[in-house]
């Protein structure tokens, strides 16, 4: 059965600055990637050269029939040295905003997507007593270029940021899915919440809708471990959702699920399908995450700011996305206020230490940066143009028109 989505629903694709632009040389992650004995197996380098090829990328989004594009403003480019704002960087990102508007695309702008200026990190990062004031100053610098932007994500996945901070403090590296990581560093979590509120105040003065995005992990109880699941979920997800109460929207970002037993998170079940990230192939994650979020934030509109699958099989990408959208449609049909769906990601980009996991609707040649639109992108564009999720077999839907 075909499933119809509401009129005015945003259909788009997403990316982040560091993962696509290339040569983010003033950032903390660039220093980590390029330092001696660094923990990351691969470096971002030129990435997708998106800093220069953004026009081509926006043309692809428009030509596919999508109506929205999510991109990041890189703090390390805007303020490469503390207190010194780059007018050229601001002008660049303003051109990106205008490029979206000229093409009829709704820009969704992210102010902080994991990376910070290296100087910020060297001055204590989020644990510095000046962190919130520094972030507020950055937001004020960016405000003038946000004219015409309705949706601004202040901080991307603050729960992930705080979990990584905890992991680095313990000298551990991430293994498995994010929800199985150590609990977030409480002080970092508090600082991020304060930074979000400060940004929300600044953005509100300009009439800009703001919210932050949370990595939703779909914690499921195994073996009757409901109490353990709830205890596991509170520091890793729920406390970050609570911060969004009263926001203009909440960004839902869901990919898979995490099973929780009496002793904590469990490994992916034996025999389960896995993605290139090693996560369980679980399209139902999106609908579940939207319902979970809506139950905890009544009255706060939801924007799906990320959902997708790391796979080398494009038919599998369509299969996953169709399953995710079917679950999303069910949530909308039950009255949940969902404003749009942004697929992660537009491009096959740098995945925080590795180029192997390919999430993109568009392939990127690592030598020439040539973009190649995949069949899954054209399938998704068809959904966006019609607002209807088709019911045919995957191979039939992916056949060229």
């Amino acid at each position: 059965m075909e499933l119809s989505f509401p009129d005015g629903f945003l259909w788009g694709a997403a990316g982040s600055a560091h993962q696509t632009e290339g040569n983010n040389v003033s950032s903390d992650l660039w220093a980590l990637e390029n330092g001696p004995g660094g923990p990351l197996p691969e470096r971002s380098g030129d990435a997708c050269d998106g800093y220069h090829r953004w026009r081509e990328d926006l043309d692809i989004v428009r030509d596919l029939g999508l109506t929205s594009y999510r991109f990041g403003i890189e703090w390390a480019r805007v303020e490469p040295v503390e207190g010194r704002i780059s007018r050229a960087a601001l002008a660049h990102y303003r051109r990106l905003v205008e490029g979206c508007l000229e093409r009829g695309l709704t820009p969704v702008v992210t102010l902080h997507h994991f990376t910070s200026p290296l100087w910020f990190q060297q001055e204590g990062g989020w644990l510095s007593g000046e962190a919130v004031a520094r972030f507020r100053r950055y937001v004020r610098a960016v405000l003038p270029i946000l004219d015409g932007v309705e949706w601004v994500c202040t901080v991307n996945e603050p729960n992930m940021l705080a979990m990584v901070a905890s992991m680095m403090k313990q000298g551990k590296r991430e293994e498995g899915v994010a929800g199985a990581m150590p609990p977030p560093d409480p002080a970092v979590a508090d600082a991020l919440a304060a930074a979000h509120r400060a940004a929300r105040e600044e953005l509100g003065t300009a009439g800009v809708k703001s919210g932050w995005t949370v990595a939703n992990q779909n914690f499921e109880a195994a073996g009757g471990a409901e109490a353990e699941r709830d205890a596991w979920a509170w520091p890793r997800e729920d406390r970050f959702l609570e911060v969004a109460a009263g926001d203009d929207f909440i960004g839902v970002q869901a990919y898979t699920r995490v099973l929780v037993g009496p002793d904590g998170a469990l490994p992916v079940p034996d025999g389960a399908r896995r993605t290139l990230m090693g996560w369980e192939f679980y399209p139902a994650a999106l609908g579940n995450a939207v319902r979970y979020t809506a139950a905890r934030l009544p009255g706060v509109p939801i924007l799906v700011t990320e959902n997708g699958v790391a796979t080398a099989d494009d038919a599998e990408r369509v299969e996953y996305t169709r399953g995710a959208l079917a679950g999303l449609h069910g949530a909308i049909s039950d009255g949940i206020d969902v404003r749009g769906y942004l697929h992660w990601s537009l491009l096959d980009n740098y995945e925080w230490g590795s180029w192997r996991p390919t999430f993109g609707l568009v392939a990127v040649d690592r030598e020439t940066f040539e973009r190649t639109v995949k069949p899954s992108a054209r399938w998704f564009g068809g959904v966006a143009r019609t607002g209807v999720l088709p019911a045919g077999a995957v191979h039939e839907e992916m056949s060229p028109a």
Side-chain angles (χ1 to χ4, degrees):
M1 182 177 67
E2 293 184 340
L3 303 175
S4 297
F5 283 78
D7 292 340
F9 193 78
L10 288 179
W11 294 99
S16 85
H18 188 84
Q19 291 173 273
T20 60
E21 290 181 341
N23 298 303
N24 185 18
V25 298
S26 298
S27 74
D28 53 355
L29 193 62
W30 181 269
L32 186 67
E33 291 170 22
N34 292 279
L40 302 175
E42 294 183 284
R43 56 191 293 273
S44 57
D46 291 322
C48 303
D49 195 29
Y51 195 85
H52 302 104
R53 298 169 191 264
W54 61 268
R55 295 175 182 83
E56 179 183 355
D57 294 337
L58 293 186
D59 286 346
I60 290 172
V61 175
R62 176 200 59 199
D63 294 346
L64 285 173
L66 306 183
T67 58
S68 182
Y69 181 58
R70 178 186 175 207
F71 64 91
I73 293 175
E74 181 55 61
W75 184 4
R77 293 186 190 273
V78 171
E79 192 177 8
V81 176
E82 183 172 12
R84 304 293 180 87
I85 301 300
S86 169
R87 297 184 185 90
L90 289 176
H92 166 77
Y93 290 114
R94 180 58 197 171
R95 287 192 292 271
L96 253 171
V97 170
E98 292 174 348
C100 286
L101 298 176
E102 290 166 358
R103 292 165 175 79
L105 302 173
T106 296
V108 177
V109 176
T110 306
L111 299 182
H112 188 280
H113 198 125
F114 292 157
T115 50
S116 297
L118 180 58
W119 64 259
F120 178 80
Q121 192 66 34
Q122 291 173 335
E123 291 294 322
W126 293 106
L127 294 179
S128 163
E130 300 298 317
V132 175
R134 287 166 174 155
F135 190 65
R136 184 188 288 272
R137 181 179 64 208
Y138 158 61
V139 175
R140 284 178 177 167
V142 169
L143 263 178
I145 69 168
L146 296 178
D147 183 44
V149 177
E150 296 181 15
W151 303 87
V152 174
C153 306
T154 59
V155 181
N156 180 77
E157 296 188 347
N159 51 337
M160 277 293 297
L161 271 172
M163 283 190 280
V164 169
S166 177
M167 207 165 45
M168 292 179 68
K169 182 182 292 186
Q170 297 176 29
K172 295 180 179 179
R173 289 192 60 187
E174 177 183 352
E175 294 183 5
V177 296
M181 290 165 61
D185 182 293
V188 172
D190 289 343
L192 290 168
H196 167 66
R197 294 188 183 102
R200 185 172 63 183
E201 289 175 6
E202 297 296 329
L203 294 163
T205 64
V208 178
K209 295 177 183 175
S210 65
W212 67 0
T213 74
V214 171
N216 302 90
Q217 293 301 309
N218 291 280
F219 297 109
E220 295 185 8
E226 282 77 11
E228 291 84 355
R229 174 204 58 200
D230 294 346
W232 190 268
W234 163 251
R236 292 169 173 84
E237 183 169 337
D238 295 354
R239 69 164 295 181
F240 295 90
L241 293 176
E242 288 195 359
V243 171
D247 282 4
D248 297 305
F249 70 95
I250 177 70
V252 166
Q253 305 195 166
Y255 294 89
T256 187
R257 67 174 174 176
V258 175
L259 296 172
V260 179
D263 298 320
L266 300 173
V268 174
D270 291 340
R273 289 172 68 181
R274 291 175 178 257
T275 74
L276 289 177
M277 294 291 291
W279 303 341
E280 183 180 0
F281 182 93
Y282 196 69
L286 180 59
N288 293 345
V290 165
R291 292 178 186 277
Y292 188 88
T293 299
R296 279 149 185 80
L297 291 173
V300 179
I302 289 172
L303 182 64
V304 177
T305 40
E306 288 184 23
N307 172 254
V309 62
T311 178
D313 182 344
D314 209 41
E316 188 172 57
R317 178 169 290 104
V318 172
E319 178 190 357
Y320 179 94
T321 306
R322 184 170 61 181
L325 289 174
L328 181 62
H329 183 275
I332 294 171
S333 297
D334 287 344
I336 296 176
D337 183 5
V338 182
R339 304 295 177 88
Y341 171 91
L342 309 180
H343 191 278
W344 184 270
S345 54
L346 176 65
L347 307 175
D348 285 340
N349 52 213
Y350 180 69
E351 287 295 335
W352 311 111
S354 175
W355 286 96
R356 181 173 175 267
T358 44
F359 282 91
L361 296 166
V362 177
V364 180
D365 187 288
R366 296 282 295 114
E367 298 294 328
T368 67
F369 307 108
E370 179 182 3
R371 273 71 165 143
T372 302
V373 175
K374 301 177 186 179
S376 59
R378 302 195 188 284
W379 173 87
F380 181 52
V383 175
R385 283 191 300 274
T386 62
V388 174
L389 184 66
V394 170
H395 70 275
E396 294 173 351
E397 294 172 12
M398 293 179 68
S399 298

